[in-house]
């Protein structure tokens, strides 16, 4: 894709300069996943494989409907199934479509050390530019949602692109197109938020008093949002983080540490240089040699 | 290597080879590590054939460094044991810094500054190795949690910066105290050098009739010193 040049970056990994951004008059997009409408058919999972030409290796049955049992370099979206009992003992089958959340403040991009390996377009999509990826796995540490996976064969990191190639030419993501129940919607972020609001009202009227929108402020919102019937506890949906944010360790590592470290190194080097200028080299003097000779040959003078 | 007549062996051939393997690894680690540390230093990865290569080779060089530094520890730990005299020397550091070593407590094979460098690295290298393993994605990713890896990478970069600062001190000291570099390249120093910087070491060599780097011990030493030099 590097030949189709992008001039609508709003963020670019490991870059100290403003990336090409002149064509940024774009609407922010969002994918809205209405968990309450999903029937777990995995049409989206198949559509993702088909559009992106991904074929994960056939795995093993792990005792649940999750198949494969985790995201991997060629599984960019995955239906996660949870059997959850509420306080009254009623069983609910929770199904969540897992994958990159396209964070407004992406931890993967913050952590990435390779210039331009992760970019964010003005429409909000976070994309991995594989030719720049060095395979270090820092994005895995940066991501609050445990999404990127490093392929051990080509040492590149992979995740959902939100079908940036389709969206770029005015199409909706493949998963959206495939969903038979309309559980996955795609459009401008503001439209999706309004739509979600209507749906949440409806769920509330049907007794899901805690229904709500998952658009976590800890990462400044996401471009993949969920309508949850139990928005008060996202973690019951196969571990969706309750309050996701970029880890403080990552923040310190990518933030304050850098200037302090470079200043420390520079200070030490400059201090050394000025010590040389002020005190100069410490050289052995002829007297030292004489004294040493005297010490070593004390025995020789003995009668 | 044969040394000029009348000089003292400061470092054995084995110690020198060991030292330079360590030093070479360290420089390569700093260059490849810093390329991933800051965007403005990413160009350093070109020295290794690009980012993928720098990323791939760094932990292997680190593994060699660990083994190599273990060799240095084996060879040098005894002469680096801390003693009361080191505190007295530290108190007189202001004189040492202006090249006036007369009147400063006499120094054995290593002074307090050298011991500090030695023990700092003896701590930092294993820390770098262990945290490095935790973030060695290809082989060790499954063995620790992602949260552990976040802490590991933070400690790894902190330890790397500390090691780089200690290393700058080490290199500068070698440039500053003339004759030190030859002690680690060709391995010998003049007696005057030993008198000026490591007088206690010189005395112990003279007393036991040893040409360096360590005094002769036991009967052998007694016999030599009776004969004189
Ligand atoms: C002793 C064994 C060592 C091991 C096993 C090791 C391993 C690693 C690994 C796995 C990484 C992540 C990037 C990659 O996958 O290559 C890394 C990064 C790094 N290493 Fe090491 N390393 C070691 C020693 C050192 C030393 C001695 C230094 C420098 C004094 C150093 C400096 C760095 C730096 C600056 C980074 C980048 C950290 C950042 O991105 O903030 N490492 N190391
Ligand atoms: S693996 Fe690739 S995308 Fe992930 S942080 Fe490293 S260079 Fe960036
Ligand atoms: S979910 Fe993870 S991989 Fe996706 S944009 Fe957010 S931080 Fe990056």
């Amino acid at each position: 894709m590097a030949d189709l040049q992008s001039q609508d970056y709003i963020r670019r990994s490991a870059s100290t300069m403003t990336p090409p951004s002149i064509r940024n008059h774009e609407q922010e997009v969002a994918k809205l996943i209405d968990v309450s409408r999903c029937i777990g058919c995995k049409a989206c999972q198949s559509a993702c494989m088909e559009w992106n030409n991904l074929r994960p290796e056939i795995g093993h049955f792990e005792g649940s409907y999750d198949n494969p049992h985790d995201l991997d370099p060629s599984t960019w979206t995955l239906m996660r199934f949870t059997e959850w009992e509420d306080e009254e003992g009623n069983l609910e089958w929770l199904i969540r479509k897992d994958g990159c959340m396209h964070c407004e403040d992406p931890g993967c991009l913050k952590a990435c050390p390779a210039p331009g390996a992760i970019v964010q377009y003005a429409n909000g999509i976070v994309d991995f530019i594989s030719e720049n990826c060095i395979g270090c796995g820092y994005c895995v540490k940066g991501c609050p949602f445990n999404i990127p996976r490093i392929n051990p064969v080509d040492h590149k990191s992979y995740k959902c692109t939100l079908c940036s190639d389709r969206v770029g030419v005015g199409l909706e993501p493949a998963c959206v197109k495939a969903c038979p129940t309309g559980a996955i919607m795609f459009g401008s972020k503001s439209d999706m938020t309004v739509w979600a609001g209507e749906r949440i009202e409806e769920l509330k009227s049907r007794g899901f008093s805690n229904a709500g929108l998952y658009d976590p402020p800890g990462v400044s919102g996401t471009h993949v949002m969920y309508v949850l019937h139990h928005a008060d506890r996202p973690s019951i949906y196969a571990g969706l983080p309750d309050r996701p944010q970029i880890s403080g360790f990552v923040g310190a590592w990518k933030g304050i540490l850098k200037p302090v470290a470079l200043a420390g190194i520079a200070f030490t080097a400059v201090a050394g240089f000025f010590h040389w200028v002020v005190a100069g080299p410490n050289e052995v003097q002829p007297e030292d040699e004489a004294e040493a000779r005297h010490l070593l040959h004390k025995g020789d003078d003995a009668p | 290597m044969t040394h000029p007549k009348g000089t003292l062996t400061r470092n054995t051939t084995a110690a020198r080879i060991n030292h330079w393997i360590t030093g070479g690894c360290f420089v390569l680690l700093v260059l490849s590590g810093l390329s991933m540390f800051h965007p403005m230093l990413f160009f350093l990865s070109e020295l290794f054939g690009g980012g993928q290569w720098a990323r791939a080779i760094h932990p292997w060089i680190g593994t060699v460094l660990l083994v190599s530094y273990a060799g240095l520890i084996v060879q040098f730990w005894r002469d680096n044991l801390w003693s009361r005299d080191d505190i007295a020397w530290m108190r007189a550091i202001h004189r040492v810094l202006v090249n006036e070593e007369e009147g400063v407590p006499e120094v054995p094979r290593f002074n307090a500054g050298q011991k500090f460098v030695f023990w700092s690295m003896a701590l930092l290298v294993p820390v770098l190795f262990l945290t490095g393993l935790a973030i060695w994605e290809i082989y060790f990713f499954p063995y620790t949690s992602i949260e552990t890896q976040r802490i590991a990478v933070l400690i790894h970069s902190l330890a790397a910066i500390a090691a780089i600062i200690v290393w700058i001190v080490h290199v500068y000291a070698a440039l500053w105290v003339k004759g030190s570099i030859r002690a680690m390249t060709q391995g010998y120093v003049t007696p005057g050098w030993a008198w000026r910087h490591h007088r206690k070491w010189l005395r112990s060599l003279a007393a036991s009739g040893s040409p360096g780097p360590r005094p002769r011990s036991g009967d052998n030493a007694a016999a030599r010193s009776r004969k004189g030099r």
Side-chain angles (χ1 to χ4, degrees):
Chain A
M1 286 285 288
D3 41 338
L4 295 183
Q5 76 161 329
S6 287
Q7 296 169 329
D8 60 343
Y9 292 145
I10 51 173
R11 284 197 176 86
R12 185 176 183 272
S13 60
S15 303
T16 48
M17 302 245 178
T18 310
S21 57
I22 197 74
R23 293 165 68 178
N24 64 4
H25 190 73
E26 281 174 51
Q27 268 187 326
E28 286 189 30
V29 297
K31 182 163 82 184
L32 181 67
I33 302 170
D34 185 346
V35 166
S36 64
R37 266 192 225 257
C38 173
I39 56 170
C41 69
K42 302 182 185 173
C44 53
Q45 230 178 284
S46 306
C48 178
M49 284 170 59
E50 198 208 2
W51 175 259
N52 292 301
N53 297 326
L54 299 167
R55 294 295 181 276
E57 255 179 60
I58 308 292
H60 298 278
F61 179 59
E62 301 278 342
S64 93
Y65 275 84
D66 297 12
N67 177 20
H69 73 279
D70 195 6
L71 296 171
D72 64 50
S74 38
T75 303
W76 294 352
T77 189
L78 173 69
M79 309 314 294
R80 294 190 187 271
F81 296 78
T82 311
E83 287 164 28
W84 181 72
E85 268 182 54
D86 68 11
E87 284 69 24
E88 283 93 63
N90 299 319
L91 184 74
E92 278 185 43
W93 206 21
L94 307 178
I95 308 166
R96 176 167 70 88
K97 177 186 184 307
D98 194 11
C100 176
M101 300 295 289
H102 295 271
C103 309
E104 179 58 25
D105 182 13
C108 56
L109 189 150
K110 183 174 190 134
C112 178
I118 305 182
V119 297
Q120 188 174 33
Y121 308 115
N123 63 12
I125 294 180
V126 178
D127 225 354
F128 285 10
I129 310 296
S130 297
E131 64 183 327
N132 296 328
C133 171
I134 66 170
C136 61
Y138 286 7
C139 48
V140 179
K141 298 159 189 59
C143 174
F145 295 95
N146 183 16
I147 298 301
R149 296 290 185 274
I150 313 290
N151 179 5
V153 178
D154 58 17
H155 304 289
K156 301 288 182 182
S157 185
Y158 294 104
K159 69 158 187 74
C160 157
T161 64
L162 206 65
C163 286
S164 56
D165 47 352
R166 292 173 58 91
V167 173
V169 293
L171 299 173
E172 66 208 335
C175 55
V176 177
K177 189 165 174 83
C179 180
T181 67
I184 318 175
M185 314 285 287
F186 182 81
S188 74
K189 183 157 177 171
S190 49
D191 283 356
M192 289 301 110
T193 310
V194 171
W195 179 267
E198 287 175 22
R199 177 64 185 160
I200 289 160
E201 282 315 309
E202 198 184 326
L203 283 169
K204 284 189 170 156
S205 72
R206 284 170 42 192
F208 291 104
S209 57
N210 291 316
L213 180 67
Y214 187 82
D215 179 24
V219 291
S220 306
T222 51
H223 295 274
V224 171
M225 306 186 291
Y226 290 110
V227 170
L228 303 177
H229 15 30
H230 306 288
D232 53 328
R233 41 187 150 177
S235 55
I236 62 173
Y237 298 88
L240 183 64
D242 286 330
R243 267 177 298 278
Q245 53 176 18
I246 300 174
S247 156
F249 297 116
V250 173
W253 164 44
K254 287 288 158 176
I256 183 75
L257 174 65
K258 307 280 134 141
V260 170
L262 295 180
I265 292 174
F267 174 81
T268 317
V270 170
F273 178 75
F274 278 102
H275 177 268
W276 182 272
V277 169
V278 174
N282 187 338
E283 274 162 313
V284 176
Q285 303 300 318
E287 307 87 82
D288 296 319
E289 296 294 354
E291 293 275 12
R293 222 176 295 122
H294 182 69
L295 173 72
L296 287 173
H297 298 284
K298 243 192 300 194
D300 301 357
D301 309 331
Chain B
M1 183 184 279
T2 50
H3 294 159
K5 209 163 162 295
T7 58
L8 300 166
T9 300
R10 176 76 175 158
N11 292 298
T12 63
T13 307
R16 281 164 10 236
I17 292 174
N18 197 165
H19 173 273
W20 288 112
I21 291 174
T22 309
C25 288
F26 193 86
V27 170
L28 294 175
L29 283 162
V30 170
L31 294 173
S32 53
L34 286 183
S35 79
M36 291 172 277
F37 181 77
H38 197 280
M40 295 185 87
L41 300 173
F42 189 77
F43 72 95
L44 292 171
S45 60
E46 292 304 324
L47 298 172
F48 299 83
Q52 283 272 352
W53 277 113
R55 182 271 306 155
I57 201 130
H58 176 93
W60 287 110
I61 305 174
T63 309
V64 178
L65 177 85
L66 180 82
V67 174
S68 177
Y69 200 76
L72 288 183
I73 293 179
V74 168
Q75 299 188 65
F76 288 108
W77 70 274
R78 285 161 101 236
D79 291 324
N80 277 291
L81 290 179
W82 198 258
S83 84
R84 221 174 273 273
D85 300 345
D86 290 315
I87 296 163
W89 187 87
M90 295 284 282
R91 286 225 181 85
I93 190 80
H94 54 279
R95 309 215 30 177
V96 178
L97 283 175
V98 293
N99 302 334
E100 285 170 16
E101 279 172 88
E102 226 27 75
V104 172
E106 293 188 2
V107 174
R109 183 154 179 217
F110 297 120
N111 64 36
Q114 292 167 306
K115 289 178 185 178
F116 167 77
V117 169
F118 177 85
W119 290 115
S120 302
M121 289 299 189
L123 173 73
L124 291 169
V125 169
V127 165
L128 283 161
F129 180 72
L130 291 175
T131 53
L133 286 190
I135 56 172
W136 198 345
E137 177 78 23
I138 335 168
Y139 304 114
F140 298 98
F141 176 74
Y143 301 108
T144 52
S145 71
I146 292 176
E147 187 70 355
T148 308
Q149 295 173 15
R150 289 176 182 139
I151 300 171
V153 72
L154 177 60
I155 297 177
H156 193 84
S157 25
L158 277 168
I161 298 312
I164 292 169
I165 290 175
V166 170
W167 174 72
I168 294 174
V169 172
H170 174 68
V171 171
Y172 178 69
L175 294 169
W176 165 40
V177 179
K178 291 286 152 202
S180 305
I181 293 181
R182 190 173 59 194
M184 200 42 95
T185 51
Q186 286 148 286
Y188 67 90
V189 293
T190 66
W193 186 93
W195 171 267
R196 188 175 172 89
H197 306 300
H198 299 274
R199 199 167 297 168
K200 222 167 167 178
W201 177 64
L202 177 65
R203 289 194 201 283
S204 70
L205 296 187
S208 66
S210 162
R214 310 198 81 238
R216 283 174 214 277
S217 55
D219 300 342
N220 194 2
R224 285 286 302 208
S225 66
R226 241 177 282 122
K227 261 200 290 172
R229 237 182 92 102

